[in-house]
Amino acid sequence: MPINFLVLSLIKAGLVAFVLMTTLAYLQWIERKVIAHIQLRVGPRRVGPHGLLQPLADVIKLLTKEDMIPSHVNRVFYILAPFLAVTFALISISVIPFGSEIDVPGVGKTWMQLTDINIGVLFVLGISGMGVYGVALAGWASNNKYSLMGGLRSSAQMISYELPMALAIAAPLLIVNTLSFREIGLKQAGSILNWNILTLPAPQVVSFILFLIAAFAETNRVPFDLPEAENELVAGFHTEYSSMKFASFFMAEYANMVTVCCVATLLYLGAWHPVWPAAYGSNFVPVALFVASGIVCIMHGLNPARPFDRITLPIAGVISLGLAGVFLVPILQPIITPVFWFTSKVGILLFIFIWVRGTLPRFRYDQLMRFAWTFMFPVALLNLLITGLLVALF
């Protein structure tokens, strides 16, 4: 049994690492495509069909690009900073459950999660708080005034927004009465009315909005991307970085996005549970979506807007119809349906991150800090007090 457990753990770790790294690569492609559509452009399209091989081209470029270390930097901390940033960004995914318990033939039952600890929420908060060291060290070790200013901004910003984020997280924790992500997910089973964002006696709509706003600031995303404001700081804390060291900061930003979206899904949006019970047909939602997308792709392929759409869209349509068939296989349905619901919710939140980047302007730094301390903190504290009162009374 210990050998089986070890082998299974290694397989799960490999799968999670592969899926996560692929997601980080193609999240950048999705962001460029979505922002291109918002701005009435086409986005990446030269490398592969619809630009699908653009992430691979970017990886090759960053791997083969000359890795320069400026002569005036503190070499030890300059090299350590991107390593810290990407390490702390990737560790948090180890406690995130992606689905329910499954039965693996010959091994036994296992959860779709690397590990579950009874203080998972505190673990993620602590690890994400440590991520500021990578950015702060990069700014200081670069010995550049623009980098230093970006590092200082990031330190103040992350520390300021961690407080309202922690208060926003504490509110749903009063309802579920556990710090384990697995238990939090299990307590939201049933329907959308059991999700923490809507559950009685204290719906956490305000807490969810506060968490999402704080997540934008914690991940240095627009409109809170002051640490790397290119119109005033060149590129901020990573001005002096190139090649894979720059890619590490880039990867850390997207990994932090994925992590906060997973945490938001687990805390507020019912984790891996469907919108309504499986007894009423929720298991057929992915089938219907993939069938619909397959039909749309094939129809557009028959009347292509561009020459290569005649080939690529029918192929995409056949793949979608094939995935619809996979979701109908009885053995696979209990395994992949929870993953579908979890990834769909995370994907919608990631789309919101990208949508906001394409539509909102950047704050001034004084507005950023004032918003955290004069609005976010009081509202989060008031929401926590009201939630505690309602939980105590009802």
Side-chain angles (χ1 to χ4, degrees):
M1 186 65 182
I3 296 176
N4 287 345
F5 175 77
L6 179 62
V7 172
L8 188 62
S9 298
L10 290 173
I11 292 172
K12 289 199 294 185
L15 282 173
V16 170
F18 173 77
V19 172
L20 179 62
M21 299 308 288
T22 306
T23 301
L24 297 183
Y26 275 92
L27 191 56
Q28 174 249 359
W29 174 83
I30 292 170
E31 180 166 41
R32 292 168 72 177
K33 278 291 189 182
V34 171
I35 293 177
H37 283 290
I38 290 173
Q39 299 172 348
L40 300 179
R41 298 183 288 108
V42 294
R45 56 173 292 186
R46 297 291 182 184
V47 187
H50 301 282
L52 281 170
L53 296 180
Q54 187 64 49
L56 179 62
D58 291 338
V59 168
I60 294 172
K61 183 195 78 170
L62 289 167
L63 283 171
T64 56
K65 192 174 182 180
E66 184 179 3
D67 187 9
M68 298 182 64
I69 300 180
S71 59
H72 56 269
V73 303
N74 185 313
R75 292 179 65 91
V76 176
F77 293 112
Y78 176 87
I79 296 171
L80 181 63
F83 174 78
L84 289 178
V86 75
T87 300
F88 288 127
L90 295 175
I91 285 176
S92 299
I93 208 71
S94 61
V95 297
I96 300 295
F98 304 99
S100 55
E101 190 178 30
I102 59 174
D103 192 2
V104 180
V107 178
K109 292 185 177 180
T110 184
W111 278 85
M112 301 181 74
Q113 179 185 18
L114 288 183
T115 184
D116 182 60
I117 53 179
N118 57 7
I119 54 168
V121 177
L122 294 181
F123 176 80
V124 171
L125 281 175
I127 291 296
S128 62
M130 293 290 288
V132 69
Y133 283 102
V135 175
L137 275 177
W140 176 80
S142 293
N143 199 17
N144 176 306
K145 59 184 177 181
Y146 297 112
S147 301
L148 178 61
M149 188 64 70
L152 293 174
R153 281 183 175 185
S154 184
S155 302
Q157 176 176 319
M158 289 185 176
I159 292 169
S160 298
Y161 277 86
E162 272 178 4
L163 193 55
M165 175 181 272
L167 292 174
I169 288 175
L173 294 181
L174 289 175
I175 299 172
V176 296
N177 197 29
T178 179
L179 292 172
S180 165
F181 280 121
R182 185 184 296 176
E183 293 297 324
I184 292 171
L186 289 172
K187 291 192 177 186
Q188 298 178 77
S191 70
I192 190 173
L193 297 178
N194 294 328
W195 298 1
N196 288 332
I197 194 172
L198 295 176
T199 188
L200 297 175
Q204 293 302 304
V205 178
V206 174
S207 176
F208 173 68
I209 294 172
L210 290 172
F211 176 86
L212 212 56
I213 294 172
F216 277 94
E218 287 286 294
T219 53
N220 295 331
R221 296 283 299 183
V222 175
F224 303 111
D225 64 332
L226 275 300
E228 47 189 276
E230 68 277 356
N231 57 343
E232 47 193 290
L233 297 183
V234 186
F237 62 91
H238 54 68
T239 298
E240 299 290 349
Y241 284 88
S242 62
S243 189
M244 284 306 294
K245 294 187 181 67
F246 167 77
S248 297
F249 287 115
F250 206 58
M251 190 189 308
E253 179 181 316
Y254 284 102
N256 286 326
M257 279 175 58
V258 172
T259 300
V260 296
C261 290
C262 289
V263 171
T265 300
L266 290 164
L267 286 176
Y268 301 99
L269 302 180
W272 58 86
H273 300 293
V275 179
W276 64 86
Y280 296 100
S282 64
N283 285 345
F284 295 100
V285 171
V287 177
L289 287 176
F290 281 115
V291 167
S293 64
I295 293 172
V296 169
C297 287
I298 291 172
M299 289 178 62
H300 280 286
L302 296 175
N303 300 284
R306 293 163 294 188
F308 56 83
D309 289 350
R310 192 183 303 276
I311 300 172
T312 57
L313 290 180
I315 292 174
V318 171
I319 292 173
S320 295
L321 294 175
L323 289 173
V326 171
F327 275 92
L328 289 172
V329 178
I331 299 176
L332 298 177
Q333 202 172 58
I335 301 173
I336 59 178
T337 302
V339 176
F340 167 82
W341 285 107
F342 184 84
T343 53
S344 297
K345 296 168 188 176
V346 172
I348 291 170
L349 293 177
L350 288 171
F351 176 78
I352 292 173
F353 269 79
I354 297 170
W355 189 10
V356 167
R357 179 182 175 181
T359 53
L360 291 185
R362 184 182 293 122
F363 279 105
R364 283 202 323 263
Y365 195 71
D366 60 313
Q367 294 173 330
L368 172 84
M369 300 303 289
R370 189 183 301 115
F371 184 68
W373 291 104
T374 64
F375 177 77
M376 293 278 289
F377 176 68
V379 173
L381 187 59
L382 181 63
N383 177 72
L384 180 61
L385 291 174
I386 293 173
T387 301
L389 179 63
L390 292 173
V391 170
L393 291 176
F394 300 103

